[in-house]
Structure formats: C-alpha cells, structure tokens
Amino acid sequence: MLTNCHSYYSFKYGTISTEDLIKVLIHHGYTTFALTDINNTAASIDFVRLAAQHNIRPVVGVDFRNGTQQQYVVLAKNNAGFREINEYLTPHLHEKVNFDSHAPSFDNAYVIYPFTYANDELRDNEYIGISPEELKQLPFSPWKNRLDKLVIKHTCTFRNKHDYNAHRLLRAIDNNTLLSKLPQCEQASETDTILPYEELMNRFAAYPQLIENTNLLLNSCSIDFSFGTNKNKQVFTRNKQADFELLKQRCEEGLAYRFPHPNETVIKRMHKELEVIRDLGFCAYFLVTLDIIDYARRQGYYYIGRGSGANSLLAYLLRITNVDPIDLDLYFERFINPFRQSPPDFDIDFSWTDRDDVTRYIFETYGYDHVALLGSYVTFKYKSAIREIAKVFGLPDDEIVALQQNPSVATSTKYGQWVIKYSQFIDGFPSHCSIHSSGIIISEEPMSSYSSTELLPKGFPSTQFDMYIAEDVGLHKFDILSQRGLSKIKDALNIIRENTGTEIDIDNIERLKHDEQIKELLKVGKAIGCFYVESPAMRMLLTKLKADDYLRLVAASSIIRPGVAKSGMMREYILRFQDEQRREQARNDLPELYKLLEETYGVMVYQEDVIKVAHYFAGLSLDEADVLRRGMSWKFRQRNEFWKVRDKFFSNCRNKGYAEQTISDIWRQIESFANYAFAKGHSASYAVESYQALFLKAYFPREYMVATLNNGGGFYRAELYLHEARMHGAIIEAPCVNRSDWPCTMQGKHLFLGFFMLFGLEKKSVEMLLNERGLFGQFHDLSDFVTRVPVSLEQLLILIRIDAFRFTGKTKKELLWEAHYLLGHAKVTKPEPTLFQTRTKEFELPVLWEHELEDAFDELELLGFPLTSPFALLEKQIPSLLKAADLAHCINQTVAIVGYLITRKPTRTSSGESMSFGTFLDIDGYWLDTVHFADSFKRYPFRGPGCYLIRGKVVEEYGFISVEVNQLYRLNNKSLEENTRLKKTENRAMLPA
C-alpha cells in the first residue's frame, strides 16, 4: 500500500537501512511496498534479495527530484521497466541536469505525480498520488471526479521523531549550513513518518477506490533478479562450444611454452580444469581476461596476475600469471570447485601509467552499455560525523576537537550530547557514491538492467551498487589495478638498456628462483626498493626465516599480513621453522591438522588453509567452507548463511571428538586472519614480482634506484633510495640545467636528480628549458639561459640555489647577484630570436662570504633532505662511534650508538599501551633497528626527523639484531642562521639596486 519509501540510500536524506525498513514495515502490517530512493537505484537489488527472505512482495522504482522538489515517482512493472528507469536516470546523473516536470513515456513502468500536478492529460500508466494530509483538499480539486487516476502516496522516510531530527541534520550537512538556517524547502515534512497499515487504511476509508487502485498498481508489479546465476558476459566468440575450443587451443599453445616436456600430472590437471570451467560456464570469463592480457602484451605493458585464479594451471598456461601451480602444489579447490557459483578471482596489476589505457580498452571493446566500474559508498565515520554535526549546531572548533578527543556524553553540554547521540546514529550511513578501487564488471545484459550509473572523475561510468550486491546478483568483477612496483621494473629495464646496453628477459622466473645473489639478498633482508619485501617488518621476518628460497618468500608474503601477525601465528610459524622439537610437539598434539598443513608446520598461513581445515578437519562441504572464508569480511558476516556455517563448524568438530579448547583455538586463527591472509597463488604472484625486483637490485642497483625514485619511491622517503644508490657506487649529482631531465637519469655512475624533485619548480618552466636545450644545445652561462628560456626570477632562483648552473664556475651568490641584475623587476623573461648573441655587461664582484652548510640548507629546503651526510650537520661531535656492524659482538650488553632516523612504526602492546619500532642508519649508512617498549616510549618519544643518540640493550633473535631502547635523545643540528647573522649586512650591500 506504500508507493514511496526511502532508505538511507537516499543519500543525506533517508535515515533507515534497507533491512530495517523491511522489518519496521512488516511490524506495521505491510506485505508489499515500493522502495523508491531519491535519484538512485543503489539499494534496489539488495532490497529484492532481502524481501524474499522476509516474505515481502518487492516493488522498486525511483523518486525523481530536482534537489528536494519531487517531480514524480516511477515504479517498475517488471525487469524491463527497471531497465527503462535506469536508462532515463543515468544521463541526468552523468550530465547533472534537472528532470522535466513531465515524465517520458515508459512502456513498463508506472508514473505517480504529486497531487499538485496541474496537467490533467495523463497516459494510461500515469497516476496522481495523494497523501493522507492532502485528502482534505480533494473535494476542492479537479481530481475529485477522476478517482480512477488517484493512488495513495504516503511518503515513508522516518520511523519517529528521532529519525526526523537526524534527517534535518543530514540535510544541513548536505547544504553546508547551520541547522537554524536550513530552509524549509530543503527538508521533508515530519508527516513523512511510517504509519501502521490499519491507520493508513482508516484515513482513506472514505475513498475505497483509491485503496483498490493502489493495490492493483502494486500487485501488477513484479521483479526478479535470479540471484546466484552468472550474469557476466556469457559468450566471447559465437557460442559456448566455440569458446571452449578457443580456450583449449590457447591452453595447448601455452603448454608448449611453459612445459616443453609436460608430464602426465600437468596434462591431467589441464584437462580437469578445462572440463570444470566448461561445465560451470566460465569459459567466456577466462577468454575476456586473456583478451585483456593479450592487449597489454601487444602494447608492451608490464603486468602481474594474482588472486585465487593464480591457483589455476590454465592461468599459468595462458600467461595470465607467472605462478606454476604444479610446482607450488596449489590447492585446486581454492581456485574453483564444482560447488562454486562465481568464477575465480583475477587481480591484474598494471603500471600506474598503463592502467587507464587498459580500462579504456575494456570499455571500448565490450561497450559502454555493458561495462561499468564497480561502485562503493563513502560512509559517515563516527569521529568525522562528530565534526559534521557539531558544525551544523554552530559549535566552535575547539569544542569540536574536544568532543572528538573525549566523546563522553556525561561531561558534554546539551549540544555536545546531541552531537554524540546523532553521530553514533549516522555512523555507517552511506554519504554518497564512490568507486571500488579496481573492480570492473562486464555484463551479458545491458548494465541498465541492474543499475543506473554515476560518472566519476576519470570519465568512466560506475554502478550505484557495491561489490557485495554485484556478487549476489551474479556480476563478478575483473580487478584491474595499478601499482608502482611494475613501473619500477619496466623503467629499470629501459634505464639499464640505455646506460649499459644490456637486454634482460625479466620473465624467466625459473632462472631467477635459483640465482645465488638473489638468495643472498633475501636471506639478510637487503631488499630496499623491492616490491613487498623492503619494509622493516619484512626485513626482520626474512632474516629470521633465512628466506633464501622461493617457497619461504611465498609464505612470508602471507604471514606478514595483519591478521596472521595479530593472531600470533606469524610468531608461531617462525618458532616452528627454527625449532624441530616445537614442530614435533605440534605434530603430536593435532596430527590430523598438521598433516593438512605440513608445508607450513601446522600453521594456517593462506586462505586455502581455511578451506582445507573447514572441509577436511571440520567436515564442512566445499561450498560451506568457501562461505566461511568469504564470511570473514565484516559485511558478509552480517548475513545469516555465515552464522549457520559457523555453528556447523563447531558442532561438526564436537561430533568428531575434538577438545573444546582446540576448536576455539582453531576458530580464533580462522577468524583473526582469514580476511587478511592471501591465497597461496596470490602470495606466489607477489613473490614473482619480488624476485624480478630483487634481480634488478642485485645486478643493476644504481639503475634500479633511479627507476624507484622516478616512480614515487616505495615504503621509504626518496632520501633513502638515493642513499642506497650511493652505497652501491652512484655519484649523486644535484639537478643541472645542462644534464638533468624531468625524471632522474643515470649517466655512467653519475645519478642526476630530476627536476621533478625540486619543491616549487614548475613543470612548465622545465618543459621550456628542455625544449630549448634539445633544439639548440646546452647553455653557456646564466645570461645565455635567461636569453633563451622564458623564466621568472622566482623559478630562476630555485635553479641557482640548487646549484643547477655549477658548470659556469661561478658561486651561487655571484649567480644570484647576476640573476637580479638580468631580470630586474620583470615578472618573466621574454626571449626573442636574434641573429647574434647579445653580450651582457660583465661585473667584477668582491669575494662573497659563504658558509660550509649553505648548500645543505638549500637542499633541505628545495629537496627535503641534504645531499651530504646528515651526521655532518650535527652541532657537536658525534657522541658515539659505535656502528651497526659492531652490535653482533655486543649481544645482551647496553650500548650507546648514533643513528639517523629513517622510519618508525607505532603499535600497541597486548595491554593497549603505546610502543614503537624504529629504523635508523648508522654513521656508515647501514641499518640499525630499535624496539621502544611502552615505558621507554613514553619517557623518550621520537622528536621528529634527524640524528639520535640511542642507549639500550642489544638483543638477537634468530639472526636479527636490534636495540631495546632505554634512552633516546635527538641531537641538535648546526644553525645556519646563527653562523650567518654577522654577515647579513655585508651580503645585503652586495645586491644590485
């Protein structure tokens, strides 16, 4: 009986979740109603799914509004009508234009106009909606004699006064105004509150024809999305059989490339996978993925395929991944099993420079009407909601900050209490549509069959529903991601070719796996700049595992993940790796579990382990085991099917006679890390990229560091990558107008910093510089530069201060004097072509005073770090000459050592106290690792970047040495201002008038 209901997907307007809306309407006696969110169909599919679970007859539509002014409500008669609604809504969203006051002609949808609608010419499928409050106007309305065209339109947006208050706050947030200044036209009427079914019928009792009209309209609507069926592109070629034959042909071609002499195991696995993929109807999914890969290879784009699909031999044969599932004994059922309704997951990483072109190719190849980026929602978060709501109440900033720091209702003012109350209420509400970080869906039916689309900044349309709803309805995503690690590899290969003439086949993974230099770097954690293995935590883990082989790196890639580490299983894995007795005890305690996970010493490391344990240890079916794995995500966990499988896990284990403590321990492992751990194939894919980066680091470290700098670095600051290049023999050169480029370049052993690293230097200025130099050769002196390149004094001073004109032989102060003379008060030079070079007047300047640290301070300001040693900047002599290499001889001793801070990682102890880990460089430039326990961390906190005197106890665990800090003092740098104070007057007199 309700034709106009809003959920909180009426962004910053509605106040009720879709499921709560269903529950409250059932409570009030309704068995059917229409969900018509404002200008979107974001919740429509999920509403239909939930309605079936609650025995509600769902009707879907849209409340079309210009701002808050309702134009009409449109209800879908059927799926075709839903598609029509989306096709009408989408261009208005893309172009951000208002809706006409008169609806277009719909073939499969009903239109309900407001009671104030003046046009009396209605189509057969068009009606006038009347609310209970408007009934008193009906006797005086021209519609009193056309009751056949009237239906009930009681708008349902709120449950109660509390909801209405929240609505007004959301409207004030949306309008960026104080609540007291919110216009009445920007908010709903309080009468838009849900009424019990009996009360609504009583109000319309005098007009039974309106009740009958509304019933007939709603009962004639029917929609079904056939949940759980695959709705991706069904056929890649002309039919499914042809798809299978093409897939088989490409696999056989790949077989010859990957396995020149395949054994029976490989052949059987290939045919088994082909049969399962054919039977489940996933051939087109594989062929589309292959088509994307083929395009990337044609364009020369580097990529890496990962995800559960990397467990597939077919993915290896088709070169979607570089992971050999036979060699790694990857668990086939994680990739696919006969109970699985969704295709395997492929995450394909491209260089950040190539991803957009791959996305464009997908849209243009498969059609903008069948392709969309996967949507997501930006939601209100509690702390940020406090600020938003406090602002609309007009609270000053200091009170807002205080509320965010201590959101205690008991100590707050009346306004503060309201802020806390409603911030808690809207926490988790969707604020607006966004996009999934990587997901693209390609549908068999037009995308409008499922959603209207938004047009977000990059110009590609995105759905109004998220990945969970997409999966429910059977639209399975292709993950097209970007990462700079691949760009580093690609650029490094080009730099190596240009600088040394060496050509490298970086895809020969088998050779890399057995390279002794790579093994040595892994074993001691010397992997700065290398994808996924350069962080201090990974360096520590690799050292403790002595990880000099591929399999241990694969395991390390997964156990370093937050969930595994948090569960304590990373620590347990290290202990069992190091201690045979501990392994034997684990084997004896739970032999059945240990046998399942023998490769990882009985520790759950990969997502496959969840499926294995659930299936073989707890006796769940494969599809139930996969529900358990997927259910570790917070949103899926809210669903009933997860809790049913969870209960069955416990009951099955009890029936098998396992001890209650054992069951709880295993469940804790599953619960704590399943949502974070990688699939083994995923970890193996990461390990492949790590090996490629490690090879380049081992044999061409200088060139690889240049590529790292040009692609935004990695875990650390640019300063560290320059330091690493210097440690490998590079001669670091500041930018030079005659030899540098926009990116960093390698010329022999000389690493010239790129102009992009200079703060404040505009790319346009550099482009003009490079263009002039490329056309007419290098610059002779500053006058020549100013004559040929349009440059402002501000930009020129940046180049002078970084010593980019050092080839002239003049000091920076002499060049600064000359720059002021040449440019005078001009905003920018205006070079004009001349036949002969005009000579500028030469001046003889007295010797200008210079300080030894001036260059370093200029570099600090313009680059963010000095090109000299940071220890050279210290005010006093270094208080300790102990080096990191000496610590191995000082185990369990208290030492004092000086280190330059590189990074720190704050964390918390099991009791919730703050502590931290630190990473420093010693005076020779080698790693120094520190641990700052809670007491020490509280008394001696980090005090910003710089050099520190560290006092503490040297400890060692499985080859990894660190200092447990007792005291930490930041050392003072020399002050340029103090040293130059007496020279200011002298230098000021030297400047030209």
Side-chain angles (χ1 to χ4, degrees):
M1 197 53 61
L2 300 174
T3 57
N4 190 201
C5 298
H6 299 141
S7 73
Y8 60 21
Y9 288 96
S10 293
F11 302 119
K12 298 190 189 79
Y13 192 99
T15 57
I16 317 173
S17 73
T18 313
E19 188 161 19
D20 286 347
L21 181 62
I22 292 173
K23 289 177 179 177
V24 73
L25 289 175
I26 290 174
H27 173 74
H28 283 303
Y30 295 94
T31 58
T32 184
F33 69 93
L35 179 69
T36 54
D37 278 315
I38 297 171
N39 295 348
N40 77 72
T41 55
S44 297
I45 293 175
D46 202 39
F47 167 58
V48 174
R49 181 185 70 85
L50 291 168
Q53 296 178 5
H54 292 86
N55 295 317
I56 282 283
R57 179 186 180 86
V59 178
V60 295
V62 169
D63 185 345
F64 288 93
R65 298 193 179 197
N66 294 330
T68 55
Q69 185 62 45
Q70 187 180 79
Q71 303 301 301
Y72 31 78
V73 173
V74 182
L75 306 181
K77 291 183 186 179
N78 47 38
N79 287 70
F82 185 61
R83 177 176 165 183
E84 285 184 83
I85 291 171
N86 285 322
E87 288 174 348
Y88 174 59
L89 175 58
T90 290
H92 287 80
L93 296 177
H94 286 199
E95 298 164 22
K96 302 189 184 307
V97 295
N98 283 342
F99 299 100
D100 295 335
S101 59
H102 189 72
S105 177
F106 291 106
D107 295 326
N108 294 281
Y110 296 110
V111 178
I112 303 174
Y113 290 101
F115 187 63
T116 54
Y117 186 68
N119 190 340
D120 60 355
E121 294 184 8
L122 297 177
R123 303 183 183 102
D124 291 342
N125 64 328
E126 294 182 335
Y127 295 85
I128 299 297
I130 184 168
S131 69
E133 293 71 36
E134 291 166 333
L135 274 176
K136 58 188 176 185
Q137 302 173 28
L138 184 54
F140 312 102
S141 165
W143 298 108
K144 65 182 178 181
N145 297 319
R146 299 195 56 187
L147 296 184
D148 60 312
K149 280 294 183 181
L150 295 182
V151 294
I152 299 170
K153 187 175 72 65
H154 173 54
T155 300
C156 294
T157 308
F158 321 117
R159 288 164 292 199
N160 46 43
K161 177 72 172 178
H162 179 271
D163 280 5
Y164 178 66
N165 292 340
H167 159 81
R168 295 187 67 237
L169 291 169
L170 290 169
R171 298 306 305 135
I173 291 170
D174 193 34
N175 282 272
N176 194 27
T177 186
L178 293 171
L179 184 63
S180 59
K181 294 186 176 181
L182 180 67
Q184 194 65 40
C185 64
E186 282 295 326
Q187 52 189 299
S189 167
E190 196 171 352
T191 59
D192 292 351
T193 302
I194 296 170
L195 296 175
Y197 177 79
E198 292 300 328
E199 183 178 343
L200 185 63
M201 292 302 96
N202 288 337
R203 294 204 187 184
F204 283 89
Y207 298 95
Q209 188 172 353
L210 271 65
I211 297 174
E212 183 180 357
N213 292 347
T214 310
N215 270 325
L216 288 172
L217 186 149
L218 290 175
N219 289 334
S220 66
C221 295
S222 176
I223 192 161
D224 177 34
F225 290 108
S226 303
F227 292 96
T229 60
N230 184 9
K231 296 182 178 64
N232 281 51
K233 183 175 175 62
Q234 297 293 298
V235 175
F236 182 78
T237 58
R238 59 188 182 278
N239 57 53
K240 291 190 175 183
Q241 182 58 33
D243 280 0
F244 177 72
E245 294 299 331
L246 176 59
L247 184 61
K248 182 179 178 183
Q249 175 195 328
R250 291 296 301 270
C251 287
E252 289 170 346
E253 292 170 3
L255 188 65
Y257 173 79
R258 293 294 196 185
F259 300 95
H261 306 289
N263 57 33
E264 188 177 351
T265 301
V266 172
I267 300 294
K268 282 186 176 179
R269 174 77 175 256
M270 182 183 79
H271 287 299
K272 179 183 179 182
E273 290 192 15
L274 280 169
E275 289 170 8
V276 173
I277 290 166
R278 178 193 59 198
D279 294 345
L280 293 176
F282 296 149
C283 289
Y285 182 87
F286 266 80
L287 289 170
V288 169
T289 305
L290 178 59
D291 179 51
I292 296 168
I293 293 300
D294 284 345
Y295 174 75
R297 292 177 65 82
R298 290 195 301 271
Q299 300 302 118
Y301 296 160
Y302 281 79
Y303 67 90
I304 185 168
R306 50 188 178 84
S308 67
N311 284 34
S312 159
L313 177 64
L314 296 197
Y316 184 57
L317 298 180
L318 297 170
R319 301 180 75 172
I320 295 171
T321 77
N322 278 319
V323 175
D324 181 352
I326 306 297
D327 179 44
L328 286 174
D329 190 27
L330 296 185
Y331 189 52
F332 177 74
E333 282 76 9
R334 173 63 183 94
F335 147 60
I336 203 168
N337 63 71
F339 301 99
R340 183 168 181 160
Q341 296 176 335
S342 62
D345 179 34
F346 282 118
D347 297 338
I348 307 175
D349 291 325
F350 295 95
S351 161
W352 63 280
T353 59
D354 303 334
R355 177 192 181 187
D356 285 351
D357 184 58
V358 173
T359 301
R360 176 203 57 76
Y361 172 78
I362 295 170
F363 272 90
E364 292 182 358
T365 302
Y366 299 100
Y368 278 75
D369 54 340
H370 288 265
V371 183
L373 302 179
L374 193 54
S376 69
Y377 308 111
V378 175
T379 58
F380 286 102
K381 305 298 182 187
Y382 178 45
K383 287 291 180 73
S384 58
I386 289 176
R387 172 163 290 277
E388 293 288 344
I389 292 178
K391 280 168 58 182
V392 304
F393 278 130
L395 269 62
D397 191 65
D398 58 339
E399 287 189 34
I400 295 174
V401 171
L403 279 172
Q404 288 180 309
Q405 292 176 343
N406 181 27
S408 172
V409 176
T411 59
S412 298
T413 64
K414 179 175 70 173
Y415 281 109
Q417 292 175 26
W418 287 344
V419 169
I420 300 303
K421 176 181 178 181
Y422 286 102
S423 297
Q424 290 172 336
F425 180 62
I426 71 170
D427 180 27
F429 274 32
S431 169
H432 55 275
C433 283
S434 183
I435 53 172
H436 185 273
S437 60
S438 60
I440 297 178
I441 50 179
I442 305 173
S443 60
E444 177 68 19
E445 297 296 323
M447 196 58 63
S448 56
S449 300
Y450 310 103
S451 174
S452 50
T453 60
E454 305 272 349
L455 198 62
L456 293 165
K458 288 193 176 180
F460 299 116
S462 66
T463 64
Q464 290 189 316
F465 53 72
D466 63 15
M467 60 180 288
Y468 300 102
I469 296 173
E471 188 173 324
D472 288 335
V473 82
L475 288 166
H476 306 292
K477 60 186 171 65
F478 299 82
D479 281 312
I480 307 298
L481 304 101
S482 70
Q483 52 142 299
R484 292 179 183 263
L486 290 169
S487 304
K488 289 193 283 187
I489 292 172
K490 176 182 176 182
D491 289 356
L493 293 173
N494 291 333
I495 295 168
I496 291 164
R497 186 184 304 113
E498 292 170 4
N499 199 45
T500 69
T502 306
E503 292 283 350
I504 299 169
D505 179 9
I506 202 67
D507 290 324
N508 190 345
I509 305 304
E510 285 306 310
R511 180 168 68 90
L512 302 188
K513 288 179 185 177
H514 301 97
D515 187 283
E516 291 301 322
Q517 289 202 45
I518 293 177
K519 288 182 178 182
E520 185 59 30
L521 290 183
L522 272 175
K523 188 164 58 177
V524 295
K526 290 186 176 180
I528 299 305
C530 298
F531 174 75
Y532 206 72
V533 291
E534 66 168 334
S535 71
M538 193 55 134
R539 188 162 46 81
M540 174 272 293
L541 179 60
L542 293 173
T543 302
K544 290 182 178 180
L545 292 178
K546 300 178 178 63
D548 62 351
D549 62 71
Y550 181 64
L551 283 177
R552 258 177 287 178
L553 179 58
V554 172
S557 297
S558 191
I559 64 175
I560 197 72
R561 298 283 289 167
V564 191
K566 184 179 178 182
S567 71
M569 299 319 293
M570 179 176 80
R571 172 85 179 155
E572 185 62 28
Y573 180 89
I574 295 170
L575 294 175
R576 292 185 189 182
F577 167 77
Q578 294 284 353
D579 189 345
E580 172 63 36
Q581 189 174 351
R582 197 176 184 97
R583 291 200 296 273
E584 192 60 34
Q585 181 182 341
R587 185 184 290 111
N588 293 334
D589 288 346
L590 278 172
E592 191 175 346
L593 180 65
Y594 196 95
K595 186 177 180 181
L596 282 176
L597 308 174
E598 190 161 10
E599 182 186 305
T600 54
Y601 317 116
V603 175
M604 276 186 268
V605 169
Y606 308 112
Q607 285 187 359
E608 290 94 329
D609 297 340
V610 175
I611 297 177
K612 284 182 182 178
V613 171
H615 181 54
Y616 294 107
F617 186 79
L620 299 179
S621 65
L622 284 173
D623 54 333
E624 289 171 332
D626 202 47
V627 166
L628 200 63
R629 177 192 63 79
R630 290 167 58 227
M632 295 305 155
S633 68
W634 70 270
K635 186 161 183 177
F636 194 89
R637 189 178 298 198
Q638 297 173 1
R639 299 189 174 182
N640 291 333
E641 52 262 45
F642 168 76
W643 295 106
K644 290 177 183 176
V645 172
R646 186 251 188 207
D647 293 343
K648 190 173 180 180
F649 175 91
F650 277 88
S651 62
N652 282 12
C653 287
R654 291 182 184 117
N655 292 338
K656 286 192 168 195
Y658 300 132
E660 201 66 32
Q661 185 62 46
T662 299
I663 301 170
S664 298
D665 287 346
I666 291 173
W667 177 257
R668 179 179 56 82
Q669 287 186 46
I670 293 174
E671 189 174 42
S672 63
F673 87 85
N675 192 40
Y676 296 97
F678 286 154
K680 188 178 180 182
H682 192 100
S683 286
S685 299
Y686 268 10
V688 165
E689 187 176 347
S690 298
Y691 261 81
Q692 292 174 321
L694 283 161
F695 174 82
L696 297 173
K697 176 72 185 298
Y699 292 95
F700 303 93
R702 297 187 292 268
E703 288 82 0
Y704 185 67
M705 285 303 110
V706 172
T708 300
L709 287 164
N710 288 341
N711 284 281
F715 185 87
Y716 304 99
R717 304 187 304 271
E719 178 184 13
L720 183 70
Y721 299 111
L722 278 174
H723 167 77
E724 188 74 5
R726 186 185 287 111
M727 296 289 283
H728 285 89
I731 301 167
I732 309 301
E733 300 269 10
C736 171
V737 297
N738 274 342
R739 300 188 68 179
S740 291
D741 205 333
W742 179 253
C744 299
T745 55
M746 199 78 212
Q747 300 172 25
K749 287 190 175 183
H750 291 262
L751 194 166
F752 282 87
L753 299 189
F755 290 117
F756 83 93
M757 297 185 72
L758 290 172
F759 299 141
L761 189 64
E762 297 170 358
K763 189 169 186 179
K764 183 179 179 181
S765 297
V766 177
E767 287 173 347
M768 289 186 289
L769 181 163
L770 296 175
N771 184 59
E772 176 66 23
R773 192 179 77 193
L775 289 174
F776 302 107
Q778 294 189 344
F779 304 100
H780 304 300
D781 51 30
L782 185 65
S783 175
D784 181 36
F785 181 86
V786 169
T787 304
R788 291 164 56 186
V789 179
V791 63
S792 68
L793 179 62
E794 177 189 19
Q795 296 285 288
L796 185 60
L797 294 184
I798 291 173
L799 293 170
I800 292 173
R801 290 178 60 208
I802 204 62
D803 213 11
F805 291 93
R806 56 189 177 276
F807 61 89
T808 64
K810 295 183 178 181
T811 67
K812 290 200 290 187
K813 286 188 176 173
E814 290 171 332
L815 290 167
L816 289 171
W817 197 97
E818 188 177 348
H820 281 86
Y821 172 76
L822 290 171
L823 266 68
H825 299 289
K827 290 186 176 180
V828 64
T829 59
K830 296 181 179 178
E832 296 179 1
T834 59
L835 185 59
F836 300 103
Q837 182 68 46
T838 304
R839 295 189 61 82
T840 57
K841 186 176 180 180
E842 293 286 342
F843 294 89
E844 280 197 28
L845 297 172
V847 177
L848 300 176
W849 178 85
E850 294 183 32
H851 188 273
E852 59 180 340
L853 293 181
E854 282 185 1
D855 285 348
F857 277 82
D858 280 338
E859 289 156 5
L860 273 167
E861 182 179 338
L862 297 174
L863 294 171
F865 52 86
L867 296 179
T868 187
S869 167
F871 299 102
L873 304 183
L874 292 178
E875 184 178 55
K876 298 179 180 178
Q877 186 176 356
I878 297 174
S880 171
L881 296 180
L882 191 69
K883 301 174 183 179
D886 301 327
L887 297 181
H889 307 294
C890 305
I891 304 300
N892 295 324
Q893 297 178 25
T894 298
V895 300
I897 189 170
V898 173
Y900 178 59
L901 180 62
I902 295 300
T903 186
R904 63 187 186 92
K905 179 177 174 55
T907 185
R908 292 191 177 275
T909 65
S910 56
S911 60
E913 293 182 285
S914 294
M915 64 169 291
S916 187
F917 296 94
T919 304
F920 297 80
L921 293 178
D922 75 352
I923 55 177
D924 282 347
Y926 293 103
W927 290 116
L928 168 63
D929 295 282
T930 59
V931 183
H932 307 252
F933 290 115
D935 184 55
S936 167
F937 186 59
K938 184 177 181 180
R939 289 187 296 120
Y940 298 97
F942 291 97
R943 299 190 181 279
C947 297
Y948 285 79
L949 174 63
I950 303 159
R951 289 196 174 100
K953 180 181 177 182
V954 181
V955 295
E956 182 266 342
E957 185 179 46
Y958 302 126
F960 186 78
I961 297 173
S962 59
V963 178
E964 292 180 352
V965 176
N966 297 323
Q967 297 175 328
L968 185 73
Y969 303 97
R970 187 176 183 276
L971 302 176
N972 293 328
N973 286 334
K974 294 176 183 176
S975 171
L976 179 64
E977 288 76 9
E978 180 64 25
N979 287 316
T980 59
R981 182 173 55 84
L982 298 177
K983 297 292 181 178
K984 284 183 178 179
T985 305
E986 174 187 343
N987 285 339
R988 190 178 298 116
M990 298 291 180
L991 291 177

